[in-house]
Amino acid sequence: MTEQSEVIRQQTGEANSMGSVQIVTTILAAAITAVAVWLAVRAVLKMVAVIRLGQPAPERFSDRVARARTMLVETAGHTRMLKWGVVGAAHWFVMVGFVVLSLLVLEAYFEVGTTDGGLPIIGHWTIFGLVTEIIGVLSLVGILVLMAIRLRNRPTRPGGRSRFTGSTMWQGYFVEWIVLLVLIFGFVIRGFKVATDHFEFPFWATPVSHAVGVVLPDWADGVSVAAAIKIIISMTWLIVISLNVTMGVAWHRFLAFPNIFFKREPVKPAGSGLGALRPMTSQGKPLDFEEADPEKDQFGVAHVEQFTWKGLLDFSTCTECGRCQSQCPAWNTGKPLSPKLLILSLRDHAYAKAPYLLAGGGKDLTGEEKATQAQLAHLDVLALAEADKPLIGTAEEGGVIDPDVLWSCTTCGACVEQCPVDIEHVDHIVDMRRYQVLIESSFPSEAGVMLRNLENKGNPWGAPQNTREDWTKGLDFEVPRVGEVDDFEYLFWVGCAGAFEDRAKKTTRAVATLLNEAGVKFAILGEGETCSGDPARRIGNEFVFQMLAQQNVETLNEAFEGREKAKRKIVATCPHCFNTLGNEYGQLGGEFEVVHHTQLLAHLVSTGKLTPVQPVDGGVTYHDPCYLGRHNRVFAAPREVLGDAIAGDLTEMPRNSERSFCCGAGGARMWMEEKIGKRINVDRVEEAMATGAKTVAVGCPFCSTMLSDGVNGKGAGEQVEVIDVATVLLRSVKPEQPQGGKETAPIGG
């Protein structure tokens, strides 16, 4: 045997031998791992038990291939997070690091007992060393960036509200430091292998590990000690999160995958803003009001366990990142609503109430306790106290969600758009509203007038039905009615605002004029049209919505009798009607092809049927309506129309497109007083005026009213004009058209 072979044999024997240090580190690693795994299994079983308390949601299991594809795209592609630039990229590297470098945590179990231990098979491949080195470095940079961002945006920093306000900050710091330390000790282990000449990878593949090895001593037990510390750090993390099942900042690493998989509409683009609301359900089935019984059927959500299991999964998955909060118009104008804090309140309440529910407790639909005294006898007093809390109630009443929080929501969808784990805030808010309206009759008093008008007059303003066609008076062409003509391509859905509200009537006339100019065959329902039901549904009155919707579906089906869906075309000027007819009437048997008027006008201009001849000057900025943009992804069409009409560049507001700021009218807020904080429309008007544009173009009658009121409130009515995209185009196509005088007040305004 040569001297060199003897040295190698001795080194190998030393490396493979288990000294006292290796015995201790192995025992420590095994012990803490056993405790962590036991606690983790217990925590997972508890979370599953809590989530299963929710109501059925059978539709969540449809189209599993599309769901799996969407989940992979959103997670691996980070489609939501990357919209946030640097923070998205940093988070992607940390996510990839967590997944891939978990193999290095596993490898540490082979390293605690021997200095040259490694993963079986792949652990000695150079490509494995190269990939893990690169990911380790990028993850290290990523976590340092995320830590800096969290510190820069800490709630206690001077000036402005933070998206982390209300988040459990110690948990965020804890998770970030754990990630940082695990990454550091990964390089320390490799460094000790380099220092003791037991590292299998070449310098070119692992330069950072070799650099660390240069500064570390030749300590034979260094690998085992560092590996044990890495395992202890990792298992400490697992123990802490297992003892805190509501620690979403950590648990989202596992729960995000199923939460995205079970999202409501997996085929929609990432960040769809929802569009349609979930139909009102009881035991997983859509509620039929003709047969529904409040003593047998669930009307909205009165208790946390009445959310679907997907709702409870939503609450458990929240990462507390605050992206929803940072975009919420209510939060940004000093209202008590934060989508994040609402979800966290529901989460904490669900888990605090869980022992009572899992013991058989709960109220039936008549309000009677379902559990026996014996079942509840052993329960902790805190769980029983939590069970007594009303879901909706003031602080004095001990409520989980304050009524002002519930009614501040405009259902704009900004929260859903920004949530990286697909939490459906708007659905949960409306479900709680449904119970308050239908069973408790508890809602802002001023909205009661709107609901009575819908029931009695078929429109929220209470205007006489025989005045629905008054907007046609004075036009220099005849507006055809359905029934009078059969040969029409589009049914023009005028909407209540378009028929009764003075500002919106100008838009209706402009659209009709442009369609006539382009030779488009269209017809209106006239007095046969009634409210689409959007304000009723968004406020939570599903009964009135279905009453109006079923009437409209019957009328529309009769108007389109004999036509296939592709030829059942409707053009609407109101995004709320556009959304309701196109996305929600299908739930009631109404299948139509619905377009917004800006989409049709953009098509007519691009095909040469409408030709702008005189550019509109003075500068134009465009406000994206929530129900047109975020909810239905119509961003390009109105901008194309405006681009042709002004023959130049549109002046964009800082918050535009999918991050557009709400006007404040959605979610039936149009008919509720805004008594708390700054008015949302004023905030948006200030942003619009800051662009210097003389014209604020809109694509929604609600936005027109709110922004016009905001401009007038700022005393800038003579300098800034708020008009619809159609009116801008009409002024360019037919500059001889009268421009109209000063806007008059809306009906009921």
Side-chain angles (χ1 to χ4, degrees):
M1 183 179 295
T2 66
E3 184 177 342
Q4 184 178 6
S5 298
E6 179 63 20
V7 170
I8 293 174
R9 185 190 65 76
Q10 290 176 354
Q11 288 179 342
T12 304
E14 290 170 2
N16 290 330
S17 64
M18 215 170 170
S20 57
V21 171
Q22 283 72 34
I23 292 172
V24 171
T25 55
T26 300
I27 292 172
L28 283 174
I32 195 169
T33 300
V35 172
V37 170
W38 176 73
L39 289 173
V41 170
R42 189 183 70 166
V44 169
L45 292 175
K46 179 177 180 179
M47 294 175 78
V48 170
V50 171
I51 291 167
R52 291 184 66 185
L53 289 169
Q55 300 303 302
E59 73 280 1
R60 303 288 181 168
F61 294 92
S62 65
D63 206 350
R64 298 186 185 190
V65 173
R67 291 182 179 280
R69 181 170 56 248
T70 298
M71 179 192 71
L72 290 172
V73 168
E74 286 198 27
T75 52
H78 248 41
T79 51
R80 298 287 186 96
M81 289 293 296
L82 287 176
K83 294 177 181 178
W84 286 71
V86 172
V87 67
H91 190 275
W92 187 84
F93 287 124
V94 172
M95 180 201 72
V96 172
F98 177 80
V99 174
V100 176
L101 299 182
S102 293
L103 291 173
L104 297 186
V105 175
L106 177 61
E107 187 175 50
Y109 287 92
F110 294 90
E111 294 166 332
V112 290
T114 173
T115 56
D116 67 345
L119 280 178
I121 304 175
I122 66 171
H124 299 282
W125 293 356
T126 300
I127 187 66
F128 175 75
L130 173 64
V131 170
T132 51
E133 184 89 352
I134 293 172
I135 293 175
V137 171
L138 293 176
S139 297
L140 198 59
V141 173
I143 195 62
L144 289 172
V145 169
L146 294 181
M147 293 173 80
I149 290 172
R150 187 178 293 273
L151 287 170
R152 188 184 66 193
N153 290 282
R154 65 193 184 280
T156 55
R157 82 195 197 289
R161 281 180 155 189
S162 165
R163 64 184 174 94
F164 292 117
T165 298
S167 297
T168 314
M169 294 302 288
W170 77 261
Q171 294 180 353
Y173 294 136
F174 171 78
V175 168
E176 288 168 347
W177 273 101
I178 288 289
V179 172
L180 179 63
L181 291 173
V182 167
L183 290 167
I184 289 173
F185 272 90
F187 284 109
V188 170
I189 292 170
R190 286 187 166 188
F192 273 122
K193 284 186 176 182
V194 171
T196 56
D197 202 22
H198 291 108
F199 197 47
E200 57 269 72
F201 304 124
F203 177 84
W204 67 265
T206 53
V208 176
S209 297
H210 278 271
V212 173
V214 170
V215 300
L216 290 178
D218 181 2
W219 180 28
D221 296 327
V223 172
S224 297
V225 172
I229 293 173
K230 182 176 181 178
I231 290 170
I232 290 170
I233 292 170
S234 301
M235 292 305 107
T236 298
W237 174 79
L238 189 56
I239 289 170
V240 170
I241 73 168
S242 297
L243 295 174
N244 293 273
V245 290
T246 59
M247 194 170 173
V249 69
W251 281 107
H252 83 274
R253 296 179 179 207
F254 310 106
L255 297 178
F257 297 98
N259 208 54
I260 295 171
F261 181 88
F262 290 115
K263 68 185 292 187
R264 180 142 66 79
E265 296 187 63
V267 296
K268 273 195 169 185
S272 63
L274 291 181
L277 284 173
R278 279 185 71 249
M280 195 164 164
T281 60
S282 179
Q283 292 300 311
K285 298 177 182 178
L287 203 61
D288 182 349
F289 277 93
E290 292 183 1
E291 301 177 1
D293 182 350
E295 294 188 1
K296 298 178 181 178
D297 294 303
Q298 180 180 315
F299 280 52
V301 169
H303 306 285
V304 73
E305 65 272 20
Q306 291 180 339
F307 287 106
T308 67
W309 61 262
K310 174 56 169 64
L312 294 174
L313 179 59
D314 271 359
F315 308 154
S316 303
T317 308
C318 180
T319 73
E320 303 190 25
C321 66
R323 285 173 180 80
C324 58
Q325 181 172 287
S326 71
Q327 302 297 299
C328 177
W331 176 260
N332 277 286
T333 54
K335 314 293 189 293
L337 168 64
S338 156
K340 177 187 72 177
L341 298 180
L342 178 137
I343 294 297
L344 297 186
S345 296
L346 293 172
R347 178 198 67 189
D348 294 344
H349 173 59
Y351 280 89
K353 189 178 180 181
Y356 161 78
L357 296 171
L358 293 171
K363 301 290 194 298
D364 63 21
L365 294 173
T366 63
E368 295 296 319
E369 176 59 59
K370 293 187 288 187
T372 63
Q373 285 294 98
Q375 287 176 297
L376 303 180
H378 69 284
L379 286 181
D380 185 271
V381 65
L382 294 177
L384 291 172
E386 196 72 30
D388 287 335
K389 287 185 177 181
L391 189 64
I392 306 298
T394 62
E396 292 75 16
E397 296 166 336
V400 178
I401 304 296
D402 191 278
D404 284 334
V405 169
L406 187 68
W407 297 110
S408 291
C409 180
T410 67
T411 69
C412 71
C415 48
V416 182
E417 173 76 38
Q418 294 299 330
C419 181
V421 292
D422 281 308
I423 292 172
E424 296 158 8
H425 315 71
V426 173
D427 281 341
H428 305 321
I429 288 171
V430 173
D431 273 340
M432 290 186 284
R433 284 183 172 188
R434 284 166 169 166
Y435 181 83
Q436 294 300 306
V437 172
L438 294 171
I439 302 300
E440 297 290 337
S441 295
S442 177
F443 51 88
S445 57
E446 61 270 20
V449 177
M450 177 268 291
L451 289 173
R452 286 192 295 274
N453 285 335
L454 287 178
E455 288 190 75
N456 300 326
K457 299 291 188 178
N459 68 85
W461 285 282
Q465 186 71 355
N466 61 9
T467 62
R468 267 196 181 268
E469 298 179 33
D470 284 1
W471 64 269
T472 64
K473 296 176 180 177
L475 291 174
D476 56 6
F477 58 92
E478 189 69 24
V479 177
R481 279 80 174 162
V482 172
E484 296 176 3
V485 293
D486 296 322
D487 184 23
F488 62 90
E489 183 181 3
Y490 287 94
L491 188 152
F492 181 12
W493 183 272
V494 176
C496 299
F500 300 122
E501 202 269 334
D502 288 326
R503 280 173 282 216
K505 282 196 284 188
K506 294 186 177 183
T507 301
T508 308
R509 292 166 64 87
V511 171
T513 302
L514 289 166
L515 294 181
N516 181 70
E517 181 76 12
V520 175
K521 294 181 179 179
F522 70 96
I524 63 171
L525 289 172
E527 293 183 27
E529 182 180 307
T530 190
C531 181
S532 67
D534 165 85
R537 188 168 228 196
R538 265 69 196 169
I539 202 173
N541 197 324
E542 186 74 4
F543 176 78
V544 170
F545 164 73
Q546 289 200 20
M547 177 187 73
L548 294 167
Q550 286 169 352
Q551 178 182 334
N552 283 326
V553 166
E554 184 178 337
T555 301
L556 290 167
N557 282 339
E558 184 179 336
F560 289 121
E561 189 173 3
R563 298 193 189 191
E564 59 189 59
K565 181 181 177 181
K567 294 183 178 179
R568 295 157 67 92
K569 298 180 181 179
I570 298 174
V571 58
T573 56
C574 175
H576 297 265
C577 296
F578 164 68
N579 179 70
T580 303
L581 271 62
N583 294 329
E584 297 183 336
Y585 275 17
Q587 299 169 1
L588 300 169
E591 296 290 337
F592 313 108
E593 289 291 332
V594 187
V595 298
H596 189 251
H597 72 283
T598 58
Q599 293 175 299
L600 181 54
L601 294 178
H603 170 71
L604 295 175
V605 172
S606 67
T607 55
K609 294 182 179 179
L610 288 174
T611 305
V613 294
Q614 180 173 309
V616 175
D617 57 14
V620 177
T621 190
Y622 174 64
H623 163 80
D624 288 272
C626 300
Y627 274 81
L628 182 64
R630 247 191 314 270
H631 280 284
N632 286 283
R633 321 306 294 171
V634 179
F635 301 120
R639 287 174 168 80
E640 290 169 3
V641 173
L642 292 171
D644 290 322
I646 66 178
D649 293 331
L650 190 68
T651 305
E652 292 281 11
M653 286 182 262
R655 295 178 290 193
N656 65 77
S657 302
E658 62 190 19
R659 291 199 191 179
S660 180
F661 197 70
C662 183
C663 74
R669 289 292 321 173
M670 180 83 170
W671 291 274
M672 297 183 229
E673 290 297 325
E674 197 170 344
K675 302 173 183 176
I676 304 173
K678 185 179 182 180
R679 294 183 67 87
I680 294 173
N681 62 331
V682 171
D683 192 294
R684 185 56 165 170
V685 160
E686 288 174 351
E687 185 174 7
M689 291 174 61
T691 66
K694 300 302 181 185
T695 300
V696 180
V698 297
C700 171
F702 291 1
C703 296
S704 177
T705 296
M706 298 298 284
L707 298 188
S708 293
D709 288 349
V711 167
N712 292 333
K714 299 290 290 184
E718 299 299 323
Q719 294 80 41
V720 178
E721 185 180 23
V722 179
I723 54 174
D724 192 89
V725 171
T727 302
V728 176
L729 180 62
L730 181 61
R731 290 179 180 179
S732 180
V733 171
K734 302 184 73 173
E736 75 281 1
Q737 282 286 115
Q739 302 304 304
K742 188 174 178 64
E743 304 283 14
T744 57
I747 294 175

